[in-house]
Amino acid sequence: MSSQIPWLTAIILFPLLASFAIPLIPDREGKTIRWYALGVGLLDLVLTIVCFFSNYNLNDSTFQLAETYSWIPQLGMNWSVAVDGLSMPLIVLTGFVNTLAILASWRVTNKPRLFYFLLLVLYSAQMGVFAAQDLLLFFLMWELELVPVYILISIWGGAKRLYAATKFILYTALGSIFILAAALAMAFYGSNPSFDISTLAHKNYPLALELFLYAGFLIAFAVKLPIFPLHTWLPDAHSEASAPVSMILAGVMLKMGGYGLIRMNMEMLPNAHLYFAPILAILGVVNIVYGALSAFAQDNLKRRLACSSISHMGFVLLGIASLTELGLNGAVLQMISHGLIAAMLFFLAGVTYERTHTLSMAKLGGMAKDMPKVFALFTAGSMASLALPGMSGFVGELTIFLGITTSDIYSSSFKIVVIGLAAVGLILTPIYLLNLLRVVFYGENSGGFNIDKYLGDAQPREVMIATCLLLPIIGIGLYPKVATQTYDVKTVEVASQVREIFPVFAQQQRGSVLYSGGFVAPKIAPDTSV
């Protein structure tokens, strides 16, 4: 009976359909609406967990819970959704972070109907991105999630909200065009046009076309991840967005870029991935070092955290570029870990702003005495972000380092340069985060702010939100298998698929300083049973 239930369709569409009831709810001050939105988010999260717990097989690397319905036959577009090891944990992360973001929006009094309506639409769109198995549906969901974020920043943002919102929509919308162009080229190549991702993954494309398709997807996902130099929208968006929106931006939206790189670029276009992998490794190192150095230059608390996100997402690129099972495993773990850590830190930055009405670190100082709970939680989040052992950030970054270090595909000289520069980022991260804690919580109070006496230290609701994010951070850090078991089988399959075609590629690249000459092609033992 459970197999006949359209689980994924219900999970994706429930928040969207529920949002249309918000204008009909009788409520003047927004109190009923916020409880309604929270109930919708919680119910969808519970539905997601129940669905995967009872119907998802962790040992199966294929797409599961597949649902396909003819939607727009004239365009060959189907409502086709399914999940595997890449998408399932990110769907759970999406539901978790979005639900906490709704709870973090408790003090919104300006246009609460529109605010919570947009949050629920965004909730559905992000779920749809990770579950879509039709490229046009993927593109539609990708575009749908842009609109709520633009409006949420432009109405509920800071003093420069219109500039930040416009920059966000220009970067991300223009990047999305490349997804559409690549999707159309893939679909109409050959005699049987199709937008089904599984069908497209088994097509044989000419190398020139595959490189073109890879470049198109890479540009689109580079904006979202973000990858230098297409990253400049992120600090502006974070500095002007409200705390709940920043939680979703950092916790979920950046992960869409990493997911796209693995799903579209690495899994569907493996030949082109071998050509682009060294470029991704270099871009990953640039992200790590540039993001860390940029963080030092930021006086704005949220801009420093945004630059930190750019640096941390560079490790995701490095894991994808490693071409090893261990590295790819670490990349997915880093996405999950960073989603939790960044959501926690941006939420606490919002809590700080509500009490001081400033994000300038130069104006903050000595807050540890007046807000010990915020200080303790902010310190815990920062320790996780700088990869303290025992927390999820450490496991993710260590796994990526081991993946690139043990890679037998790259030459020793290339690995030494990449690992050495990435290690610089690891050294810089604790420096700028500890400096943040020192300035904000231990520095001298310059008199630039007065803590709101009505709000005071973190209240029970705020402590609960931060704790809900901190517990899985520590849980994954102490027992990583709780996360890795959800995608292990899939990452092994994807990495193996790319490595199997490397020997032919290596023959063409003989003499290259980038690739190792000692790679041994995997061999299948002969069948001696006959």
Side-chain angles (χ1 to χ4, degrees), residues 365-369 375 379 436-445:
M367 290 175 53
K369 180 179 179 181
F375 165 63
T379 301
L436 181 154
L437 293 174
R438 179 184 62 81
V439 172
V440 173
F441 294 100
Y442 284 114
E444 293 184 5
N445 188 333

Side-chain angles (χ1 to χ4, degrees), residues 301 348-379 436-452 456-458:
L301 179 59
L348 292 172
V351 171
T352 302
Y353 178 76
E354 282 187 341
R355 284 146 175 82
T356 63
H357 305 291
T358 181
L359 289 171
S360 173
M361 293 171 57
K363 296 180 180 179
L364 297 170
M367 290 175 53
K369 180 179 179 181
D370 297 314
M371 295 197 298
K373 295 177 185 177
V374 174
F375 165 63
L377 291 169
F378 215 118
T379 301
L436 181 154
L437 293 174
R438 179 184 62 81
V439 172
V440 173
F441 294 100
Y442 284 114
E444 293 184 5
N445 188 333
S446 63
F449 73 94
N450 291 308
I451 295 178
D452 191 312
D457 199 2

Side-chain angles (χ1 to χ4, degrees), residues 143-333:
E143 290 292 284
L144 179 60
E145 56 89 24
L146 300 182
V147 179
V149 176
Y150 170 76
I151 300 174
L152 286 166
I153 296 176
S154 60
I155 295 180
W156 291 273
K160 297 181 180 179
R161 57 186 180 275
L162 292 179
Y163 169 78
T166 302
K167 192 173 184 179
F168 162 79
I169 200 69
L170 286 176
Y171 268 73
T172 50
L174 290 175
S176 301
I177 294 175
F178 291 91
I179 296 179
L180 180 61
L184 292 174
M186 294 180 76
F188 290 101
Y189 175 78
S191 57
N192 297 313
S194 173
F195 288 99
D196 181 71
I197 288 179
S198 298
T199 302
L200 296 177
H202 290 89
K203 280 188 176 182
N204 292 317
Y205 305 98
L207 180 59
L209 177 59
E210 190 165 330
L211 292 172
F212 167 79
L213 296 172
Y214 193 104
F217 283 126
L218 178 59
I219 292 172
F221 301 142
V223 173
K224 191 75 77 175
L225 193 66
I227 301 175
F228 177 89
L230 303 177
H231 67 287
T232 60
W233 64 270
L234 185 66
D236 291 313
H238 272 306
S239 63
E240 301 303 321
S242 61
V245 178
S246 285
M247 289 173 66
I248 297 173
L249 272 174
V252 181
M253 190 171 294
L254 303 189
K255 312 309 170 285
M256 291 164 54
Y259 169 78
L261 280 175
I262 300 174
R263 174 71 74 205
M264 308 299 175
N265 293 64
M266 187 174 185
E267 186 177 15
M268 297 177 64
L269 304 167
N271 293 289
H273 184 67
L274 291 172
Y275 285 90
F276 277 91
I279 299 175
L280 293 184
I282 295 170
L283 289 174
V285 170
V286 171
N287 258 44
I288 292 169
V289 178
Y290 171 83
L293 291 174
S294 297
F296 278 107
Q298 307 304 322
D299 173 64
N300 184 291
L301 179 59
K302 291 179 72 175
R303 288 184 74 93
R304 177 167 291 200
L305 295 176
C307 291
S308 175
S309 291
I310 295 171
S311 180
H312 283 94
M313 294 309 289
F315 285 100
V316 175
L317 277 178
L318 206 56
I320 295 173
S322 71
L323 301 175
T324 62
E325 299 166 2
L326 195 59
L328 185 58
N329 189 298
V332 179
L333 183 58

Side-chain angles (χ1 to χ4, degrees), residues 455-479:
L455 294 175
D457 199 2
Q459 297 180 355
R461 173 184 60 86
E462 295 163 333
V463 173
M464 185 184 72
I465 293 172
T467 303
C468 285
L469 292 164
L470 181 60
L471 288 177
I473 291 171
I474 297 174
I476 294 173
L478 296 176
Y479 189 64

